[in-house]
Amino acid sequence: MGLLSLILLAACACATPVGVTHVDTQSMYRAITANVLSADHPSSYSELLARLGLTKRFDEDPEVVLAALRGPGEGLSREYLFVLSELSFYHAVRSQKPEYFLAAAVYAYAFVLGRTEEAPVAAVDPRFRLAANLYNLGLAQALESREEEATVVIEPGSRPLPFGKMEISVDDKMFLWSGYRMVRFISLGEFKVRGFLNRYRQAGIGAPLAAELAPAGEGPEAEEARKRIPPRLKVPVTAVLQIEDVSAGIATGDLKARIQVYAADPARTAEIGGHRVPLELEPTAAPPTGSRAHPSGTPRSAAFSRPSSHSSPRGC
């Protein structure tokens, strides 16, 4: 009996609860880079939740936990700003509440461009690119029409936040482009591109969109411009939400911001928060040709057709 006990004890000692296992590079990389945009759980960079013992509570009542993490909203560190952004986006996906998509964009904006007493985020910090993506996708989904899927509504007005509201202004002149007016915006973050040998994109800040056009303006110059541009052209643009004093806004719950729309042709960077930053561009997803009529009568690019279960395999 004594020998059997020793054998069992030795076996248990070999199966320690903490340890490492050798895996291939791809498995390791997937494990350390998984986040709310690629998996159904937050990234390891949001481990603050586990350290505070709030993981189970977040699963049960995420809005209470998010409010507790924000607290009074003053002096939030970049660690808290990132965690609040990722967890707000995670809750928004599950609840489909636009105010949490907008909150994710606000916290991400503060993480990347906000002023804190800490040193700026290093470009090699993996959270930097992830926060930019949370801002881009959070903004697009916060502004998405509740009636028309993938259509982004860019207009002035008040938008609710979980901790207050945001007053948004829009410069109407930014909708004018070469004798046309941008009249409808489609989020390119929700479409998969197929049929192109190369996909051209630029990583940066902003929600990549495609703008449908309607004739605008009269006179020889406008008419001449329209002769060179197909009437069903979809213009790739980037929408950027610039937030005034984002840190103070998070604390007071009263935020002011303006949306600017940049056409991809002339603009590749923008001045945001005192920094010159690259814009997120997706020109391949908004092809200038191959348009077709949408059933409603509105022109719609063939690239905007959604995949179905009967789609042809890649390469067919």
Side-chain angles (χ1 to χ4, degrees), residues 42-177:
S43 69
S44 59
Y45 306 113
S46 290
E47 64 182 10
L48 173 69
L49 203 62
R51 293 207 311 269
L52 296 176
L54 294 173
T55 304
K56 183 178 179 181
R57 183 70 189 279
F58 180 76
D59 291 336
E60 296 170 348
D61 202 341
E63 295 182 11
V64 168
V65 172
L66 286 168
L69 289 175
R70 173 184 171 271
E74 298 177 348
L76 291 172
S77 68
R78 282 204 166 88
E79 180 183 23
Y80 270 77
L81 289 169
F82 179 85
V83 172
L84 282 164
S85 177
E86 186 175 28
L87 295 184
S88 293
F89 193 96
Y90 182 56
H91 176 55
V93 170
R94 295 194 295 178
S95 67
Q96 287 302 298
K97 292 183 176 181
E99 62 266 32
Y100 282 92
F101 280 121
L102 186 57
V106 169
Y107 289 129
Y109 186 97
F111 175 85
V112 175
L113 297 169
R115 296 185 179 90
T116 71
E117 295 180 357
E118 303 168 273
V121 184
V124 294
D125 188 331
R127 296 176 302 169
F128 188 92
R129 184 62 247 169
L130 179 52
N133 288 334
L134 289 169
Y135 168 82
N136 299 347
L137 294 170
L139 174 59
Q141 297 198 50
L143 301 180
E144 187 170 297
S145 168
R146 300 301 104 183
E147 289 75 35
E148 193 171 4
E149 192 175 26
T151 298
V152 172
V153 179
I154 299 180
E155 60 186 18
S158 180
R159 294 269 179 168
L161 283 162
F163 51 88
K165 62 181 175 62
M166 176 184 287
E167 293 293 337
I168 297 176
S169 62
V170 178
D171 183 359
D172 198 54
K173 294 179 181 178
M174 299 197 77
F175 295 151
L176 298 177
W177 185 83

Side-chain angles (χ1 to χ4, degrees), residues 132 135-137 139 204-208 238-241 272 278-281:
Y135 168 82
N136 299 347
L137 294 170
L139 174 59
I205 289 289
T238 302
V240 176
L241 182 76
I272 304 174
L279 295 169
E280 182 89 0
L281 302 174

Side-chain angles (χ1 to χ4, degrees), residues 4 17 25 69 86 120 161 169 188 213 238 260 277 307 311:
L4 179 59
T25 304
L69 289 175
E86 186 175 28
L161 283 162
S169 62
L188 298 180
L213 305 174
T238 302
Q260 293 179 289
V277 297
S311 297

Side-chain angles (χ1 to χ4, degrees), residues 128-276:
F128 188 92
R129 184 62 247 169
L130 179 52
N133 288 334
L134 289 169
Y135 168 82
N136 299 347
L137 294 170
L139 174 59
Q141 297 198 50
L143 301 180
E144 187 170 297
S145 168
R146 300 301 104 183
E147 289 75 35
E148 193 171 4
E149 192 175 26
T151 298
V152 172
V153 179
I154 299 180
E155 60 186 18
S158 180
R159 294 269 179 168
L161 283 162
F163 51 88
K165 62 181 175 62
M166 176 184 287
E167 293 293 337
I168 297 176
S169 62
V170 178
D171 183 359
D172 198 54
K173 294 179 181 178
M174 299 197 77
F175 295 151
L176 298 177
W177 185 83
S178 294
Y180 286 91
R181 180 177 179 80
M182 302 176 191
V183 294
R184 180 169 176 260
F185 298 92
I186 299 171
S187 174
L188 298 180
E190 298 185 35
F191 292 92
K192 182 179 180 179
V193 176
R194 59 179 172 81
F196 287 94
L197 182 62
N198 298 312
R199 178 168 184 167
Y200 299 97
R201 66 183 302 273
Q202 174 179 287
I205 289 289
L209 311 172
E212 292 184 354
L213 305 174
E218 301 294 338
E221 290 188 10
E223 292 301 325
E224 188 62 29
R226 287 196 281 269
K227 288 179 183 178
R228 300 192 301 269
I229 300 171
R232 292 183 178 179
L233 177 74
K234 305 299 181 296
V235 180
V237 301
T238 302
V240 176
L241 182 76
Q242 294 206 41
I243 307 171
E244 298 178 16
D245 199 348
V246 63
S247 299
I250 291 173
T252 63
D254 185 16
L255 290 94
K256 291 180 173 57
R258 68 183 184 277
I259 295 179
Q260 293 179 289
V261 178
Y262 299 89
D265 191 19
R268 302 191 70 83
T269 64
E271 188 78 21
I272 304 174
H275 304 275
R276 177 61 60 175

